[in-house]
Amino acid sequence: MDQSKLDRLRQRYGAASPADFFDPHFREVAEAVFRGAEAPRQPFADAGTLLDAPLRPDLAALDDFGGLDIALVGVPMDLGVTNRAGSRFGPRAIRGMDRIGPYEHVLRLVPSAQASIADIGDVPFSNYLSLAACHHDIQAFYGRLAAAGVVPLSVGGDHSVSYSILKALGRERPVGLIHFDAHCDTSGGDDSARFHHSGPFRLAVLDGVLDPDRTIQIGIRGSAEFFWEFSYDAGMTVLHAEDVAEMGAKAVIAKAREVVGDGPVYISFDVDCLDPVYAPGTGTPEVGGLTSREALAILRGLAGLDVIGADVVEIAPQYDPTSNTAQVGAQILFEQLCLATLALDRRRQHG
């Protein structure tokens, strides 16, 4: 062993406490995370919240949401499922996950140090037994968030919730979409079954709030392929799970950035995009999906895009006794938080 190196390490770290940081970046991170305390609270203490953010449901009653930059919102509604129900428990499962963040080691970012963030609770439903009423309430709630200039990051709930969120966020101009899923979710319906988790993005395009030419769908696979004619006819870019494996993460990132460009973009992540090995707790699992590492790499590669909102949906924890699905869902949400924080910082710099 190099004796001079050992002497140097002993001199620096021999009497150091856990609160001593010598690398300038790590010291800055520690100061942001600990806020002057020597250690954070135990990860298993207190009530769970989305990403351990402050729980502030009271802010949802204010017109300006208390001046928040980013709101974490639960949408516990799964009346639109076509297979296994249970994603109404997704927000609660994510709130039970600890040790997600606050530092993102690849992007080298502490979102809570750069933005005002809170868990504002769940969307209030006037009639949680009515699918149509729930969608009316979702659109109204997110319309208020959009009017206040608050960026919403949401946990569903089934994938139909994304439609009403997009109706609110895209009402001034159609937005782009980066959509992670096993299914394109562009099938049809009729007036008696307008809202369901197999068709939110067809509805969003037809309502003029989603630009299909700025939409990319990643991880698509399975026997429902013939339902997704609308995606191809509308000009959406569809990357199957096999394409992702062949192209690799870097090429997928480049394609996504090319498709959505510099305009406002929404990110929607259905956990069935992942192989059931990584996320078995979902309503419509499809074998042969992305790995969690691939998904995280692609998300991190989207840093710098103008992210105006995002969601993680279809987490049905009762089908996963390991809690892996909720764990990866919480991590996906944290990556989305990082992307939204970077976009917010960029908008501030450019006025």
Side-chain angles (χ1 to χ4, degrees), residues 176-224:
L177 174 70
I178 300 177
H179 171 206
F180 295 82
D181 208 319
H183 316 98
C184 286
D185 292 351
T186 50
S187 70
D190 57 36
D191 287 341
S192 63
R194 176 175 172 79
F195 307 110
H196 55 82
H197 72 167
S198 295
F201 302 116
R202 179 195 287 214
L203 290 176
V205 170
L206 295 178
D207 283 351
V209 298
L210 175 63
D211 184 348
D213 293 327
R214 295 185 55 237
T215 295
I216 184 169
Q217 303 182 296
I218 301 170
I220 309 304
R221 61 193 186 278
S223 59

Side-chain angles (χ1 to χ4, degrees), residues 102-317:
Y103 178 59
E104 215 294 347
H105 74 284
V106 175
L107 299 176
R108 296 171 68 85
L109 179 68
V110 180
S112 59
Q114 296 183 217
S116 174
I117 304 163
D119 178 347
I120 62 170
D122 295 338
V123 173
F125 293 123
S126 57
N127 182 358
Y128 66 86
L129 299 176
S130 166
L131 179 57
C134 286
H135 275 277
H136 176 273
D137 294 338
I138 293 168
Q139 184 179 337
F141 189 82
Y142 283 83
R144 292 181 54 232
L145 284 164
V150 180
V151 176
L153 303 181
S154 311
V155 179
D158 71 60
H159 217 158
S160 71
V161 306
S162 299
Y163 164 64
S164 290
I165 295 173
L166 286 170
K167 279 276 285 183
L169 300 188
R171 63 187 179 186
E172 300 294 334
R173 72 283 185 255
V175 302
L177 174 70
I178 300 177
H179 171 206
F180 295 82
D181 208 319
H183 316 98
C184 286
D185 292 351
T186 50
S187 70
D190 57 36
D191 287 341
S192 63
R194 176 175 172 79
F195 307 110
H196 55 82
H197 72 167
S198 295
F201 302 116
R202 179 195 287 214
L203 290 176
V205 170
L206 295 178
D207 283 351
V209 298
L210 175 63
D211 184 348
D213 293 327
R214 295 185 55 237
T215 295
I216 184 169
Q217 303 182 296
I218 301 170
I220 309 304
R221 61 193 186 278
S223 59
E225 174 73 19
F226 62 95
F227 284 111
W228 315 136
E229 177 184 11
F230 183 89
S231 287
Y232 300 105
D233 199 15
M236 296 179 176
T237 299
V238 179
L239 296 184
H240 292 85
E242 297 80 10
D243 298 323
V244 174
E246 183 176 344
M247 295 168 64
K250 290 185 178 180
V252 173
I253 292 165
K255 187 64 177 178
R257 298 181 74 97
E258 174 192 339
V259 169
V260 302
D262 294 328
V265 61
Y266 188 83
I267 300 175
S268 186
F269 197 105
D270 185 328
V271 291
D272 71 23
C273 175
L274 303 174
D275 191 273
V277 168
Y278 305 95
T282 191
T284 315
E286 298 280 2
V287 172
L290 273 62
T291 69
S292 53
R293 183 167 58 223
E294 286 174 324
L296 292 176
I298 295 169
L299 280 166
R300 289 162 177 158
L302 304 177
L305 294 182
D306 187 18
V307 176
I308 61 165
D311 62 48
V312 182
V313 298
E314 299 285 352
I315 297 166

